[in-house]
Amino acid sequence: MGEETFHIVMYPWFALGHLTSFLHLSNKLAERGHKISFLLPSKTIKKFQPFNLHPDLIIFIPVTVPHVDGLPPGSETTTDVPFSLHSLLMTAMDLTESVIEFHLTNLKPNFVFFDFTHWLPALCRKLGVKSVHYCTISPATVGYLISPERKLLEKSLTAADLMKPPLNFPPSSIKLRAHEAQGLAAVTTKPYGSSISFLERQLHSFNECDAISFKTCMEMEGPYCHYVERQFGKPVILAGPVVPKSPSSVLDEKISNMLDNSEAGKVVFCAFGSECILKKNQLQELVLGLELTGLPFLAALKPPMGAETIESALPEGFEERVKGKGYVYGGWVQQQLILKHPSVGCFITHCGSGSLSEAMVNKCQLVLLPNVGDQIINARLMDGDLKIGVEVEKGEEDGLFTKDGVRKAVKAVMDDDSEVGKEVRTNHMKWREFLLSKGLENSYIDAFVNKLHALLG
């Protein structure tokens, strides 16, 4: 096909992290002249317009989210509903199949990139379109949790199964604790959408698509990529780091003043993404841990379960004690711009893949505090395999962390004389230089495009 351009339809799961990840890739492909039709919920389009860097080539197509009993009216993405209702949102997304068929019939794309809509590969085959499962979770997570050699459709997944990796899984530092294995086994086997479990949905998506794609580099996760390719028996194509361009907006004035008036590399920034909601006692341990570090801090956290506002959930006397030195926000903050600020020396993250990508190309040190699912395996990769962060200790059985555990992890990466700190700083610098090296991203996206050409044969 030579230098011909493609027409790609994007239809990610209606979660902001997934929509954002697909849009970052869309921007990279549009830079090379490829046309993108991006299907997303109607009211969500406005939120994403500022991040569309090529509006002439990336066209947003609104999708009305069907009503499902039990789903609050007007709900469109996972940020609109608690975690317990995500399954109903998935049911609503499954009900869009006929609408998506209408769009694909009219658009006649070369490819559809998808993730959770397990029915898309069959629809694509019917219409003569190639389907690519663009997976926002890491190849290590896919390989560890849902490898075909676990024979998950023949027997139920148990916590005991997850305590050890699949037989042929690459050597790694990934180990799950009892509470993590129990949580993952419970979540993956629960119904997720229309009468299908999360596990079955994922296995169907991987087994039926024409190719699997990840946002990662062979240099970082090569053994896991090869393992997934062998296990599922289909091409795994890597998009590379897909580092998003810095937003053109400026920092909120209050945050900007706080950071500008702080010493370089001393501020601890803590953010847990758009969906992570802690229990009140864990949120209090976290902020008390930040206070114990003695360092200036900025935390962006959702109000905990049962609390209307973040302020109402803070420990008694906390705000007075940290006044002028520590700030806790309950709303959205400009994470990319904050991570870039020279005052920020440490980032406490929930280990979502988007947040880790943004952190790794900046200079702040990583403290890892995973909450659910793939975040746990991401944390083990960062702490164990790559040694570029320190994970906060948690109770083996209950999975709870303490304020002292938070303080210790921050001190470990921030103290100049800490041996662990020296190691993670050196490794972080090495990987940062690699990810930002001239030509790396272009070579990955060029190879990605060539492999898409090969799929069309």
Side-chain angles (χ1 to χ4, degrees):
M1 284 183 66
E3 293 303 304
E4 284 179 43
T5 54
F6 304 128
H7 180 191
I8 299 172
V9 165
M10 299 279 180
Y11 195 45
W13 164 227
F14 293 162
L16 292 194
H18 291 239
L19 292 162
T20 303
S21 188
F22 274 64
L23 184 56
H24 289 331
L25 179 63
S26 298
N27 280 324
K28 302 294 179 188
L29 292 168
E31 269 176 32
R32 285 158 172 74
H34 301 291
K35 182 183 173 187
I36 312 291
S37 295
F38 203 116
L39 302 165
L40 76 171
S42 312
K43 296 199 300 285
T44 305
I45 288 177
K46 195 183 284 184
K47 283 183 194 170
F48 281 85
Q49 275 166 339
F51 305 101
N52 179 355
L53 306 181
H54 303 275
D56 53 328
L57 284 167
I58 302 173
I59 309 302
F60 289 142
I61 297 175
V63 173
T64 301
V65 180
H67 177 69
V68 170
D69 285 346
L71 203 58
S75 301
E76 285 199 334
T77 68
T78 53
T79 48
D80 300 327
V81 294
F83 183 75
S84 59
L85 296 185
H86 285 194
S87 179
L88 290 179
L89 188 63
M90 192 74 249
T91 300
M93 200 171 174
D94 287 340
L95 292 173
T96 64
E97 185 172 354
S98 59
V99 173
I100 302 309
E101 181 169 5
F102 169 80
H103 284 305
L104 296 183
T105 304
N106 286 332
L107 292 166
K108 297 181 173 56
N110 303 101
F111 298 96
V112 175
F113 281 46
F114 75 105
D115 50 5
F116 284 12
T117 42
H118 65 292
W119 40 265
L120 254 171
L123 176 58
C124 288
R125 263 196 305 280
K126 177 175 137 184
L127 299 174
V129 178
K130 296 289 184 186
S131 61
V132 178
H133 184 166
Y134 186 55
C135 189
T136 56
I137 58 177
S138 68
T141 303
V142 171
Y144 190 98
L145 295 181
I146 58 172
S147 163
E149 69 173 321
R150 284 197 187 274
K151 297 189 168 33
L152 298 172
L153 295 178
E154 296 171 24
K155 58 185 177 66
S156 289
L157 184 70
T158 66
D161 294 331
L162 289 180
M163 291 296 283
K164 48 188 184 294
L167 190 61
N168 296 297
F169 192 71
S172 80
S173 343
I174 298 168
K175 298 271 188 302
L176 294 186
R177 300 178 183 113
H179 66 90
E180 294 165 341
Q182 284 158 7
L184 283 164
V187 167
T188 52
T189 50
K190 269 185 187 164
Y192 203 74
S194 330
S195 65
I196 185 171
S197 73
F198 184 78
L199 188 66
E200 291 168 307
R201 181 178 288 277
Q202 287 297 325
L203 280 171
H204 209 76
S205 296
F206 283 110
N207 284 321
E208 299 298 317
C209 65
D210 292 298
I212 299 165
S213 180
F214 294 101
K215 180 190 79 171
T216 190
C217 301
M218 199 56 80
E219 292 84 349
M220 296 184 82
E221 293 191 75
Y224 306 114
C225 298
H226 292 312
Y227 175 73
V228 168
E229 192 163 55
R230 286 193 305 272
Q231 284 290 316
F232 286 100
K234 58 191 60 194
V236 166
I237 55 180
L238 304 185
V242 196
V243 178
K245 285 195 163 61
S246 285
S248 52
S249 56
V250 292
L251 270 174
D252 169 84
E253 191 178 354
K254 193 175 175 186
I255 292 174
S256 180
N257 287 342
M258 182 255 174
L259 295 175
D260 291 346
N261 292 317
S262 298
E263 199 181 329
K266 291 296 182 191
V267 174
V268 178
F269 173 50
C270 175
F272 281 1
S274 56
E275 288 170 31
C276 177
I277 298 176
L278 297 171
K279 289 181 177 167
K280 184 176 176 181
N281 63 336
Q282 287 288 270
L283 180 127
Q284 293 195 342
E285 288 293 319
L286 176 59
V287 297
L288 290 170
L290 291 172
E291 182 185 1
L292 283 177
T293 66
L295 295 164
F297 64 85
L298 169 65
L301 302 164
K302 302 272 277 191
M305 297 172 194
E308 285 292 309
T309 64
I310 193 78
E311 291 77 17
S312 67
L314 295 173
E316 202 175 328
F318 174 80
E319 287 182 281
E320 292 75 38
R321 292 196 306 274
V322 301
K323 198 169 185 180
K325 189 168 189 178
Y327 299 88
V328 182
Y329 291 87
W332 180 81
V333 295
Q334 297 144 300
Q335 181 168 293
Q336 254 185 287
L337 294 178
I338 293 170
L339 289 172
K340 275 182 70 171
H341 198 285
S343 292
V344 176
C346 173
F347 178 37
I348 304 178
T349 172
H350 67 310
C351 303
S353 57
S355 291
L356 287 174
S357 299
E358 290 174 14
M360 284 181 71
V361 294
N362 283 292
K363 292 179 179 176
C364 50
Q365 302 315 312
L366 289 171
V367 165
L368 313 163
L369 193 48
N371 188 41
V372 292
D374 63 308
Q375 299 162 11
I376 296 161
I377 289 176
N378 291 344
R380 303 293 133 79
L381 278 176
M382 295 286 133
D383 185 333
D385 281 20
L386 302 176
K387 293 186 167 48
I388 53 176
V390 170
E391 193 173 344
V392 175
E393 289 174 12
K394 290 182 179 178
E396 191 65 36
E397 292 302 320
D398 60 13
L400 300 178
F401 60 86
T402 65
K403 58 190 177 190
D404 200 52
V406 173
R407 180 194 64 80
K408 276 167 63 179
V410 171
K411 288 288 189 188
V413 299
M414 293 289 275
D415 283 3
D416 292 338
D417 55 355
S418 155
E419 287 306 314
V420 173
K422 285 175 191 167
E423 182 180 36
V424 297
R425 284 193 288 274
T426 302
N427 287 330
H428 190 158
M429 193 184 302
K430 179 186 83 175
W431 283 112
R432 178 176 181 268
E433 284 171 4
F434 166 74
L435 291 170
L436 294 175
S437 57
K438 196 171 167 54
L440 174 79
E441 187 158 84
N442 282 339
S443 68
Y444 264 101
I445 296 289
D446 289 344
F448 186 80
V449 167
N450 287 338
K451 286 180 178 173
L452 291 180
H453 276 301
L455 275 181
L456 292 176

